């Protein structure tokens, strides 16, 4: 009788072991399928990010546009505004020009940029942020340096870009 009870106990233990192994195998298979699905999804999302067309071309255009607009002297003041139509929409040009005249300034001025960076906004493929330090000097006075953030939309029409909807965000100026 003890022998039968021992065999029954071992049989139950063996049955539990088999059920446990089958359960672990099933769970392992499900986990492999989940990992495979996540890997496929990540690969797909990576391809989507890499498929953003002409990012380098867009960044180059943006850098050229802002350097043209923000780097000037009293002699090149109007020339930059004439060239702005190649880079900016009319509304954006007026905003960046500010309150001024279309005459060359009669006093010596110089505006220059440094530490320029371009970021693509998380709000969309056509949303960008241009960051720059702008140094502005009038005659022999000390230059005023202001960090600016330009948030804008880059529009494309007929394979040509234009910067539109510019929002200018200045930081506190410093005098050197």
């Amino acid at each position: 009788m003890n022998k039968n009870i021992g065999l029954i106990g071992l049989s139950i233990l063996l049955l539990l072991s088999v059920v446990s192994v089958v359960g672990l195998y099933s769970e392992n298979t499900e986990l492999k399928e989940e990992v495979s699905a996540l890997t496929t999804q990540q690969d797909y999302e990576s391809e989507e990010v890499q498929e953003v067309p002409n990012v380098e071309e867009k960044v180059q255009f943006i850098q050229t546009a802002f350097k043209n607009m923000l780097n000037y002297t009293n002699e090149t003041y109007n020339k930059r505004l004439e060239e702005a139509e190649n880079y900016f929409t009319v509304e954006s040009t007026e905003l960046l020009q500010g309150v001024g005249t279309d005459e060359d300034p009669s006093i010596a001025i110089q505006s220059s940029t440094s530490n320029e960076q371009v970021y693509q906004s998380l709000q969309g493929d056509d949303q960008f942020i241009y960051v720059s330090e702008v140094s502005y000097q009038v005659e022999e006075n000390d230059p005023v340096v202001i960090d600016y953030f330009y948030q804008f939309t880059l529009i494309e029409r007929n394979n040509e870009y234009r910067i539109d909807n510019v929002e200018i965000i200045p930081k506190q100026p410093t005098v050197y």
Side-chain angles (χ1 to χ4, degrees):
M1 174 104 167
N2 282 339
K3 204 175 192 184
N4 286 340
I5 292 177
L7 285 176
I8 293 174
L10 283 175
S11 297
I12 292 173
L13 187 58
L14 182 61
L15 181 62
L16 290 175
S17 296
V18 169
V19 169
S20 178
V21 168
V22 169
L24 287 174
Y25 177 78
S26 174
E27 184 179 343
N28 191 24
T29 304
E30 289 174 14
L31 288 173
K32 283 182 181 179
E33 289 173 2
E34 286 180 29
V35 167
S36 176
L38 287 173
T39 302
T40 304
Q41 181 181 0
Q42 286 175 343
D43 289 345
Y44 177 72
E45 289 173 358
S46 283
E47 290 174 10
E48 282 182 352
V49 169
Q50 294 172 358
E51 289 177 12
V52 175
N54 308 324
V55 171
E56 292 173 7
E57 182 180 321
K58 291 177 180 180
V59 168
Q60 182 64 40
F61 176 84
I62 292 165
Q63 289 174 330
T64 302
F66 278 98
K67 283 183 179 186
N68 178 64
M69 183 59 95
L70 300 174
N71 291 298
Y72 61 89
T73 64
N74 52 313
E75 288 89 20
T76 61
Y77 181 81
N78 276 327
K79 181 181 177 193
R80 75 180 174 104
L81 296 176
E82 293 166 5
E83 293 177 4
E85 68 186 29
N86 298 324
Y87 302 104
F88 299 91
T89 60
V90 173
E91 295 83 10
S92 295
T93 302
E94 289 173 355
L95 178 69
L96 290 168
Q97 178 184 0
V99 179
T101 69
D102 57 355
E103 296 179 18
D104 287 330
S106 59
I107 59 173
I109 59 171
Q110 181 174 355
S111 177
S112 60
T113 60
S114 60
N115 299 326
E116 300 93 355
Q117 297 172 352
V118 178
Y119 299 98
Q120 188 169 16
S121 176
L122 297 176
Q123 296 175 350
D125 292 344
D126 59 346
Q127 302 292 316
F128 289 86
I129 299 171
Y130 179 82
V131 180
S132 179
E133 284 183 6
V134 179
S135 173
Y136 188 77
Q137 184 174 5
V138 178
E139 300 216 327
E140 299 300 319
N141 296 318
D142 292 332
V144 175
V145 179
I146 304 173
D147 291 328
Y148 281 100
F149 296 87
Y150 299 89
Q151 188 170 348
F152 57 91
T153 302
L154 186 65
I155 55 176
E156 182 178 3
R157 290 189 192 131
N158 302 325
N159 294 325
E160 291 186 0
Y161 298 116
R162 292 293 182 270
I163 295 172
D164 193 24
N165 300 321
V166 177
E167 180 181 351
I168 304 170
I169 307 164
K171 286 177 60 177
Q172 185 66 32
T174 57
V175 178
Y176 289 103

